Amino acid sequence: MGVRWLLKWSDASHMGDEFSSLQQTIERLGAVRTGKWTVTHQLQLHKFAASDPDGTQFARELHVIEFSDAAENCFLVVDKDPHKNVLEIHKAMLLVMDRIQLYEPRQKVKIEGFVYSFGDFAIKMGSYYLGASAKALIVEVEYKPGIRLADCNVLGREFLDQLTKGSTRQWTDADFVSYGLPARFSMQHSALQHVALFRSLQSTNSAGPTQT
């Protein structure tokens, strides 16, 4: 895989017009639709005390992320200071976790949309759903030859600036260093970006509507 950037394009109040406008912009570039884009993200909370009687500490929050382009595996983002991890596991392990029942499912969000191919770039756009309610329009751009985010950041953001046409959009920046992720971009980095997006949208919804 290449290097990816993730951003919130617009909130729910502008989604209809923005979705159509963005599709037209992408298609005018000559990009070709190649498939559907789906991301599911579930927040789970620990059901019991923060630690066992023997002192074993548990993370209070567990984020489970599944991507349509990683069909067999899913990703767990575990927040437990000072140890933070992004784990890649086979989806069959989710059944084991359900049986153990250490964590209780809470909020579940989903992105549904389309993937476009344009030269060395893949452009993904989709609606961000909480339950049946669409909350935002999300865009992800991948520079397929890229390896390190730091080496491609200027190129990727210049490309996205062409799509946004100078409009203000909400970038998603994730703290890869705190989770011990290497410089080479991977699906683990992408999973952490989606957790950062989730938290950003939760914060925005709690504070009330904002302009984009």
Side-chain angles (χ1 to χ4, degrees):
M1 67 172 295
V3 170
R4 297 178 177 180
W5 297 267
L6 187 68
L7 71 159
K8 180 183 125 179
W9 193 269
S10 67
D11 59 25
S13 61
H14 301 94
M15 272 190 57
D17 293 339
E18 292 274 9
F19 197 99
S20 298
S21 176
L22 179 58
Q23 275 189 313
Q24 292 171 10
T25 299
I26 292 172
E27 290 169 0
R28 278 198 298 269
L29 288 174
V32 178
R33 187 188 296 185
T34 58
K36 294 184 177 181
W37 180 39
T38 304
V39 181
T40 60
H41 179 172
Q42 186 171 71
L43 170 65
Q44 299 187 11
L45 298 182
H46 201 280
K47 295 174 67 174
F48 306 109
S51 63
D52 270 354
D54 65 0
T56 302
Q57 296 291 318
F58 292 104
R60 172 172 165 74
E61 290 188 1
L62 178 69
H63 296 264
V64 182
I65 301 104
E66 300 177 54
F67 298 101
S68 53
D69 55 349
E72 294 186 354
N73 293 345
C74 64
F75 299 84
L76 308 181
V77 177
V78 183
D79 282 344
K80 181 173 73 69
D81 289 327
H83 304 295
K84 297 182 177 182
N85 290 291
V86 184
L87 308 174
E88 182 175 0
I89 65 171
H90 195 279
K91 286 184 179 178
M93 289 300 298
L94 294 179
L95 297 175
V96 177
M97 292 172 58
D98 288 342
R99 290 173 183 169
I100 296 174
Q101 295 186 341
L102 282 177
Y103 287 88
E104 182 177 19
R106 292 296 179 91
Q107 286 182 305
K108 185 174 184 178
V109 297
K110 189 172 186 177
I111 300 175
E112 292 183 327
F114 303 103
V115 182
Y116 292 85
S117 179
F118 178 67
D120 286 335
F121 291 91
I123 308 167
K124 302 173 185 177
M125 56 173 292
S127 300
Y128 186 96
Y129 291 95
L130 174 58
S133 301
K135 298 296 184 183
L137 173 59
I138 304 301
V139 173
E140 180 181 273
V141 168
E142 178 178 351
Y143 178 56
K144 289 179 279 188
I147 296 174
R148 293 162 49 97
L149 187 63
D151 296 338
C152 307
N153 232 352
V154 173
L155 176 64
R157 298 212 174 200
E158 284 180 350
F159 180 77
L160 275 164
D161 284 342
Q162 295 299 312
L163 289 180
T164 62
K165 297 179 180 178
S167 300
T168 301
R169 308 297 178 185
Q170 183 177 331
W171 290 91
T172 300
D173 292 315
D175 184 4
F176 302 131
V177 174
S178 293
Y179 288 81
L181 295 182
R184 186 184 184 95
F185 201 89
S186 68
M187 292 297 294
Q188 291 170 299
H189 292 74
S190 188
L192 196 55
Q193 286 177 331
H194 280 270
V195 171
L197 173 67
F198 173 84
R199 289 172 174 160
S200 174
L201 289 175
Q202 290 295 97
S203 175
T204 299
N205 290 335
S206 298
T210 59
Q211 297 294 321
T212 59

